[in-house]
Amino acid sequence: VRSSSSLPGPAMPALSPLAVAGVFGCLLVFTTYTYFFEIPAALRSKGSAKGAWGEPDAEFNWCELDYQLTEFVAEPVNTATGALYILTGVGGWLLHRRHLVLETRLLLNLAAVAMVGVGTVLFHATLRYPMQLLDELPIYYLILLGAWGLHERGLHLHHGHWLPILVSSWALLVTCVLQATPQHSFVHQAFRGVMTCSFSACFIYIFWAAARASVEHGAMQDLFSRAFLWFVIAIVSWLVDNTACEVLQSLRWYPNLHAWGWHCGTVGGLYLMFLALLVQRQEIRGAMCEVCYIGDFLPVVRPLREKSS
């Protein structure tokens, strides 16, 4: 483990909360529109390849060609990179549980990231709609949890316990409605629309609030700025892969921006955001910490009193 006060490479500049919200606001207008209101035609195609799970019935058939390696995995590359979310959730806990106090909110965040990985793997492996919901719902839980956590980022809960109860009740309601109603029914699609739009609003709020927190807690600033960059790259990759699928597939080598850009980009961004929030929570509790490295590559957070070896 090597100790360092900053991440490798040039230091990232402090980001204006308004600029951060503006960047993601512009990007999420396009993601929301193409995710729910007007799914690109190339992603609606069911394809000709059939596998063990039957004909795809999910809302999306991503740009990666189906069942190219085995009849048991519809999109092998997307499935494999989806497992990185599980590794991130479990690894984040294993790397820090013996060194720092991990509050319940942080543990829930890591658990939600791991749940996203399970859903993502099953969705891309099968392209069935129930597995799509198993992918979407944990992502929604994660975004609601993140928005609440950054709204209540002080030492004490300003709104008491009623706000997390309200958020949890809403998440439960959305889950029950989506699981109990037919895929193409009006109620089902209305709730998916509300979930999609509220996801985008919460995503923008999370990064706006995190940018404000990075001003209040300078130690998390570099981690947050890099997380912001990773997420911008991930979202742009997602948009390009979806809207230019036919062009990408016509290339000599399909770059699969969904797997290598979106999955890997959000995994990196989520881990860096977890570290940034971990630093912020430690400072709130009066414990000073620093960023260290495992193998000169993997950043972790350690108390200042621990000496590097």
Side-chain angles (χ1 to χ4, degrees):
V1 178
R2 178 175 61 84
S3 176
S4 177
S5 59
S6 61
L7 294 174
M12 296 289 290
L15 299 176
S16 161
L18 186 60
V20 168
V23 168
F24 281 128
C26 292
L27 288 173
L28 266 66
V29 166
F30 295 103
T31 62
T32 303
Y33 182 74
T34 58
Y35 192 83
F36 181 77
F37 295 99
E38 190 64 42
I39 299 172
L43 302 189
R44 286 188 174 274
S45 172
K46 300 306 179 185
S48 57
K50 299 297 186 293
W53 311 111
E55 183 176 354
D57 63 353
E59 298 282 343
F60 309 93
N61 189 338
W62 304 102
C63 198
E64 182 180 356
L65 296 176
D66 299 346
Y67 296 105
Q68 294 298 293
L69 293 181
T70 170
E71 64 175 333
F72 297 104
V73 180
E75 297 174 343
V77 178
N78 284 344
T79 301
T81 54
L84 293 173
Y85 295 106
I86 303 175
L87 183 63
T88 300
V90 176
W93 173 68
L94 290 174
L95 289 170
H96 296 91
R97 64 190 179 95
R98 294 175 181 267
H99 304 275
L100 298 166
V101 175
L102 297 178
E103 296 173 281
T104 301
R105 64 174 68 193
L106 294 174
L107 293 174
L108 289 175
N109 272 285
L110 292 173
V113 171
M115 288 174 59
V116 168
V118 173
T120 298
V121 166
L122 293 175
F123 176 29
H124 286 294
T126 65
L127 293 178
R128 301 308 302 264
Y129 187 67
M131 300 303 104
Q132 178 183 327
L133 291 181
L134 197 61
D135 176 42
E136 290 179 337
L137 287 170
I139 295 174
Y140 193 52
Y141 304 155
L142 178 62
I143 213 75
L144 291 176
L145 180 62
W148 168 78
L150 278 159
H151 182 68
E152 292 280 20
R153 60 183 181 272
L155 183 59
H156 303 290
L157 299 180
H158 294 295
H159 299 285
H161 294 288
W162 69 265
L163 185 56
I165 292 174
L166 181 63
V167 171
S168 301
S169 299
W170 168 249
L172 180 62
L173 175 63
V174 171
T175 302
C176 291
V177 170
L178 291 182
Q179 294 291 348
T181 54
Q183 176 182 353
H184 299 293
S185 68
F186 173 79
V187 172
H188 188 95
Q189 291 300 317
F191 266 79
R192 276 200 75 239
V194 172
M195 182 176 71
T196 302
C197 294
S198 58
F199 169 90
S200 297
C202 288
F203 189 98
I204 295 168
Y205 175 79
I206 284 171
F207 276 85
W208 173 81
R212 291 192 63 186
S214 71
V215 174
E216 302 162 359
H217 304 275
M220 66 175 286
Q221 182 265 313
D222 198 53
L223 290 163
F224 167 73
S225 296
R226 291 175 188 272
F228 167 82
L229 181 60
W230 277 80
F231 270 102
V232 169
I233 293 172
I235 293 173
V236 171
S237 297
W238 187 90
L239 284 169
V240 173
D241 197 69
N242 292 353
T243 57
C245 176
E246 294 177 346
V247 174
L248 294 174
Q249 285 184 342
S250 69
L251 299 176
R252 189 173 204 178
W253 175 72
Y254 166 56
N256 199 338
L257 296 179
H258 190 94
W260 307 118
W262 171 248
H263 284 174
C264 294
T266 51
V267 161
L270 284 168
Y271 182 68
L272 288 170
M273 183 68 90
F274 164 71
L275 295 184
L277 296 178
L278 179 57
V279 168
Q280 187 262 346
R281 297 308 300 173
Q282 297 304 308
E283 287 197 356
I284 284 289
R285 297 167 59 89
M288 302 305 294
C289 51
E290 61 181 345
V291 178
C292 304
Y293 297 89
I294 298 175
D296 290 331
F297 169 75
L298 182 65
V300 292
V301 176
R302 295 289 183 262
L304 276 176
R305 67 177 180 272
E306 290 192 6
K307 301 301 182 182
S308 61
S309 58

